Amino acid sequence: MEEYGIGKSYPLDKVRNIGVAAHIDAGKTTVSERILYYTGKTHKMGEVHDGTAVMDWMEQEQERGITITAAATTCFWRDCRINLIDTPGHVDFTMEVERSLRVLDGCVAVFCGVGGVQPQSETVWRQATRYNVPRLAFINKMDRVGADFDAAVEQMRSRLGANPVPLQIPWGKEAGFKGLIDLVKMKAILFKEEALGVEFEETDIPADMMQAAEDARDYMVEMVSEHDDTLMEKFVEGRMPSETEVRSTIRKATLTTEITPVICGSALKNKGVQQLLDAICDYLPAPSDIPTIKGQDPKTGEPIERRPDEKEPLSALVFKIASDPFVGKLSYVRVYSGVLENGSYVLNSTRDRKERIGRLLHMHANKREEIERATAGNIAAVVGLKESKTGDTLSSEDKPIVLEKMHFPEPVISMAIEPKTKADRDKLSTTLQRLSDEDPTFQIKTNEETGQTIISGMGELHLDIIKDRMLREFGVQANVGKPQVAYKETITKAAKAEGKFIRQTGGRGQYGHCYLEVQPLERGKGFEFVNKVVGGAIPREYISSIESGIEGACANGILAGYPVVDIQAIVYDGSYHEVDSSDIAFKMAASIGFKDAVRHAEPILLEPIMLVEAVVPEEYMGDIIGDLNSRRCKIEMVGERGNLRFVKGLVPLAEMFGYATAIRSLSQGRATYTMEPHSYEQVPVQIAEKILAVEGAKDKPRR
């Protein structure tokens, strides 16, 4: 353990919590594998295409050659400890990226030298911007035919709205790519092929590259000096700043996300990875560089701040739950302040529950190393947390704090699931619950009318992986129905109704009575409850029961039992009985009144709309566009990307089942596509009528 420094305590400014994130197939996992090799964490290079990547440890990842779960590890470079998370690129697992970025201090965004900024790169970039995470860009695959460093940098500027500043330029292109020109040192770096890139030589910049290097250096200094007055003064006067001055200013501007340093290489060919490690240590933030973590007091709601310091009270965020076949439930935790110790008791301040830290572990993908304590700024895995879920805060019992919660997208696709045998039936619900604890975008519910268990997720691949894991990890065999779209319902006009629930059965009865109004909200607003009761017509203690009754009724709409969204419910009057009124009576009255109001508010069906981008060789463009049009696609943009064409549009999810096969057959396997949730829109009436006929619906949608 001492060999890798696990047992050694690192000062906060020498710790880096970073993630590697990008579009599918840009080379994230290969970059991560090379980082592990060059830092001495592994002694053999893992390859994604051979199924030997350390970070892709799940069988499903090795078979498909994709990353599904964010894997964490710790490695050491120079005098820094790097906690590294390799994240998925597929949009079905975007939640893994979301929760990783929430707890990371910095991010390496990997871009393909040929593809440039691809759709999922944009999604990842937006997520990092939301959490204000400083980024370093690594333009990979510079040895491939069609690789274009300048085009990739320009796309970062135009598509991401970033401010990229190249710190290197490639030496040679495509098959002739042999090294880098370091613009900070103004040296050329030549990699030795036979030494797998472990050995490289720093030489003078060749004469034919000197002009390009000087121009690129001037641009770098100009962009960087905008963020430092001393440097700007030197630049204006024509004096060259020192290497140290340039480095410290790049770091300062990167930490404030004003610039994104750009470096390049080819991870598969072992070029540029050590320079990437240097850049991680030089430019990405340590926990001590990030602002104090903000939270609130769970009792009073007052804002609280915690500094990243061992002496501060404990605050830590549970950002991931995983099932381990040997130790059971593993909770990944980022410690923001204080110290988490083996065997200690902590407070889950989100749920107001006391929890015991059974064991503390350092994770290396799916391998474990036991530790005694995890200090501020570090990431560890905890065994023994019973009730903590993703997004919960752990804090000291005497000084509780609740950190900002994590937001996860709603599932867009559902399917029915049932056990194959009686033995499977007993295990199925436990297994589904464990998988749901791990993955907040995987949801389970029971259809009250049919008694079926419905599972929902982010896409066909997501649910396919879930089914596969149930069989392999938990030994549960199940049959699943065809994928179903997660429709929703809403209203198009305001309506009022009265809700009354009166039962007299001898003795104490039940009495609840309220007047409600429902109004449509704009798309994406969800549900709002407003209390306008005056004069004590309904006692204050029953208002929360009315809200609860309406929320329950929202779960099953009146058209076809889909959730009701984008609606405001106002309670404005009612009456009560001194003896017979109760929480349950007002809950029932609210549910009855709400359903009646929605019935009169011209309800409609909404369907999930996906943002689809297909990248196609030019000769197949017409066929692909024709096929998308037949799927009710609204085409938004058509353009060129290198020697390929792309088409971007909005398509209803219901029309996209089986599209992977269709696009392959239309393009002889040469086209690729990506799809991500975009919004919800009204289902055309003719299609809605067919859906409701299948569902045996009670009310027709309005024309």
Side-chain angles (χ1 to χ4, degrees):
M1 259 172 38
E2 195 61 42
E3 177 192 352
Y4 297 132
I6 287 281
K8 204 174 140 191
S9 181
Y10 278 74
L12 264 188
D13 63 339
K14 297 297 183 189
V15 175
R16 302 285 181 271
N17 294 311
I18 61 149
V20 182
H23 184 84
I24 316 151
D25 220 21
K28 292 175 304 305
T29 302
T30 305
V31 169
S32 301
E33 293 296 321
R34 296 302 184 265
I35 286 175
L36 296 184
Y37 179 76
Y38 291 124
T39 55
K41 190 73 184 177
T42 56
H43 301 292
K44 180 172 174 284
M45 288 189 187
E47 300 293 2
V48 176
H49 51 267
D50 295 336
T52 56
V54 175
M55 301 299 267
D56 283 354
W57 55 269
M58 287 170 70
E59 289 176 42
Q60 294 88 344
E61 294 179 313
Q62 291 167 0
E63 287 170 3
R64 290 169 170 82
I66 61 169
T67 303
I68 292 166
T69 183
T73 190
T74 301
C75 56
F76 304 88
W77 184 254
R78 290 191 344 208
D79 53 352
C80 287
R81 169 199 194 116
I82 300 171
N83 295 320
L84 177 78
I85 295 186
D86 175 33
T87 64
H90 200 288
V91 70
D92 282 21
F93 310 106
T94 191
M95 178 272 306
E96 285 284 335
V97 185
E98 182 86 19
R99 62 179 169 193
S100 300
L101 287 171
R102 169 71 175 81
V103 297
L104 293 170
D105 303 328
C107 175
V108 175
V110 180
F111 298 98
C112 171
V114 181
V117 175
Q118 295 161 290
Q120 191 61 15
S121 318
E122 295 182 43
T123 307
V124 169
W125 199 267
R126 281 199 303 273
Q127 289 170 314
T129 302
R130 188 181 316 138
Y131 293 119
N132 206 27
V133 177
R135 278 143 278 181
L136 178 68
F138 181 70
I139 299 180
N140 192 22
K141 304 191 180 184
M142 290 310 300
D143 59 312
R144 274 188 50 194
V145 175
D148 189 333
F149 179 77
D150 294 335
V153 172
E154 185 47 47
Q155 284 177 22
M156 285 180 66
R157 197 172 283 114
S158 58
R159 287 191 195 163
L160 303 176
N163 184 14
V165 177
L167 308 187
Q168 301 170 348
I169 56 172
W171 180 3
K173 58 188 290 189
E174 299 178 352
F177 175 65
K178 55 186 172 185
L180 316 163
I181 309 292
D182 185 328
L183 303 175
V184 179
K185 290 182 178 174
M186 278 306 269
K187 287 282 184 186
I189 298 167
L190 181 66
F191 292 92
K192 296 187 178 175
E193 300 271 351
E194 65 281 0
L196 293 176
V198 174
E199 292 176 27
F200 55 86
E201 186 186 338
E202 270 194 17
T203 66
D204 291 333
I205 298 169
D208 61 333
M209 291 290 295
M210 187 53 89
Q211 189 58 53
E214 285 176 350
D215 293 345
R217 160 108 181 165
D218 286 347
Y219 176 76
M220 178 192 77
V221 173
E222 182 184 353
M223 296 305 289
V224 169
S225 62
E226 287 178 11
H227 307 284
D228 186 275
D229 293 341
T230 315
L231 219 62
M232 177 58 85
E233 207 174 294
K234 280 193 173 183
F235 179 72
V236 170
E237 290 170 4
R239 290 184 291 146
M240 259 304 156
S242 70
E243 190 183 314
T244 310
E245 285 175 318
V246 172
R247 278 191 201 285
S248 67
T249 310
I250 292 171
R251 179 176 177 77
K252 191 170 74 175
T254 304
L255 298 188
T256 54
T257 67
E258 288 165 315
I259 68 165
T260 304
V262 183
I263 58 178
C264 62
S266 167
L268 189 65
K269 295 288 167 67
N270 317 306
K271 292 173 184 168
V273 180
Q274 295 101 315
Q275 286 68 32
L276 170 62
L277 281 160
D278 286 338
I280 288 168
C281 296
D282 287 339
Y283 308 124
L284 286 182
S288 52
D289 292 316
I290 59 168
T292 52
I293 188 78
K294 292 178 172 58
Q296 57 183 44
D297 187 301
K299 291 189 175 66
T300 64
E302 284 181 27
I304 308 174
E305 290 191 351
R306 291 267 196 275
R307 289 180 300 108
D309 189 337
E310 290 181 34
K311 296 183 179 67
E312 288 267 304
L314 173 70
S315 67
L317 187 76
V318 178
F319 69 96
K320 179 179 164 77
I321 306 285
S323 291
D324 188 288
F326 302 105
V327 297
K329 183 174 158 185
L330 267 181
S331 306
Y332 285 78
V333 172
R334 161 72 197 260
V335 184
Y336 283 101
S337 63
V339 180
L340 202 56
E341 292 190 320
N342 227 334
S344 62
Y345 283 91
V346 296
L347 177 72
N348 179 330
S349 41
T350 310
R351 301 178 191 278
D352 197 22
R353 293 274 195 280
K354 203 169 166 184
E355 292 266 38
R356 183 175 182 274
I357 306 296
R359 287 158 67 199
L360 274 176
L361 306 170
H362 255 304
M363 298 302 292
H364 174 45
N366 62 334
K367 296 183 175 62
R368 301 164 298 280
E369 294 175 66
E370 293 220 17
I371 53 171
E372 287 302 311
R373 62 207 297 268
T375 54
N378 277 301
I379 290 170
V382 180
V383 181
L385 299 183
K386 297 273 191 300
E387 298 187 48
S388 298
K389 299 253 191 328
T390 300
D392 285 3
T393 304
L394 303 179
S395 64
S396 48
E397 294 177 68
D398 55 337
K399 294 199 173 162
I401 182 174
V402 176
L403 302 176
E404 184 194 346
K405 290 205 86 165
M406 297 158 84
H407 301 288
F408 300 114
E410 285 288 310
V412 294
I413 190 169
S414 306
M415 54 174 70
I417 187 165
E418 58 185 33
K420 274 193 177 173
T421 66
K422 191 165 185 269
D424 289 320
R425 186 186 308 152
D426 303 330
K427 289 195 286 186
L428 181 66
S429 60
T430 314
T431 301
L432 289 176
Q433 193 54 54
R434 282 177 71 178
L435 289 167
S436 171
D437 285 347
E438 281 187 35
D439 184 347
T441 58
F442 173 62
Q443 295 179 4
I444 317 147
K445 64 178 182 187
T446 305
N447 185 317
E448 290 171 11
E449 290 177 11
T450 64
Q452 280 182 313
T453 301
I454 307 293
I455 58 174
S456 307
M458 298 303 296
E460 288 179 272
L461 178 64
H462 187 195
L463 294 183
D464 187 37
I465 299 285
I466 293 279
K467 184 188 167 193
D468 204 29
R469 286 188 63 197
M470 281 168 53
L471 179 60
R472 294 195 200 188
E473 287 177 41
F474 302 96
V476 178
Q477 297 207 357
N479 295 320
V480 292
K482 282 186 176 171
Q484 300 288 317
V485 176
Y487 292 105
K488 288 190 163 70
E489 298 178 20
T490 192
I491 57 172
T492 53
K493 67 172 196 178
K496 293 183 177 181
E498 178 184 15
K500 216 175 222 183
F501 183 74
I502 302 172
R503 290 282 183 279
Q504 205 62 51
T505 51
R508 184 175 170 176
Q510 296 282 2
Y511 183 94
H513 176 220
C514 59
Y515 288 96
L516 301 172
E517 180 179 2
V518 293
Q519 293 183 356
L521 293 175
E522 61 184 87
R523 291 284 175 271
K525 286 289 185 187
F527 168 73
E528 280 180 17
F529 176 76
V530 179
N531 172 23
K532 287 190 178 174
V533 174
V534 289
I538 300 172
R540 186 176 289 276
E541 63 264 28
Y542 295 131
I543 297 298
S544 61
S545 304
I546 291 172
E547 182 176 3
S548 175
I550 293 171
E551 281 182 348
C554 274
N556 294 294
I558 60 110
L559 282 177
Y562 295 115
V564 180
V565 295
D566 304 335
I567 190 168
Q568 184 185 65
I570 302 163
V571 55
Y572 61 90
D573 202 0
S575 63
Y576 70 103
H577 189 279
E578 290 284 357
V579 178
D580 292 352
S581 282
S582 66
D583 285 336
I584 192 74
F586 272 102
K587 216 179 237 188
M588 293 299 293
S591 178
I592 292 163
F594 178 75
K595 287 193 172 180
D596 194 30
V598 168
R599 196 171 277 114
H600 291 97
E602 295 185 356
I604 57 168
L605 211 53
L606 298 174
E607 63 183 345
I609 303 295
M610 311 301 282
L611 178 63
V612 173
E613 180 169 312
V615 180
V616 199
E618 186 153 1
E619 58 265 39
Y620 304 110
M621 192 68 169
D623 293 341
I624 299 290
I625 288 177
D627 180 65
L628 284 171
N629 283 331
S630 73
R631 296 171 187 270
R632 296 196 278 136
C633 176
K634 289 181 195 159
I635 289 173
E636 293 202 318
M637 190 189 294
V638 176
E640 290 183 12
R641 185 163 297 159
N643 51 0
L644 297 169
R645 304 289 300 278
F646 73 89
V647 55
K648 195 185 267 192
L650 298 173
V651 195
L653 175 63
E655 304 289 345
M656 291 301 286
F657 292 132
Y659 186 64
T661 311
I663 195 170
R664 275 201 296 268
S665 60
L666 285 170
S667 66
Q668 297 181 5
R670 291 174 61 197
T672 59
Y673 81 102
T674 52
M675 181 166 78
E676 60 180 278
H678 181 268
S679 57
Y680 270 81
E681 285 182 17
Q682 182 178 350
V683 180
V685 173
Q686 303 86 325
I687 294 168
E689 283 174 352
K690 285 180 195 167
I691 295 165
L692 298 178
V694 171
E695 297 285 345
K698 304 174 273 293
D699 293 83
K700 284 273 196 307
R702 71 181 185 87
R703 287 198 172 271

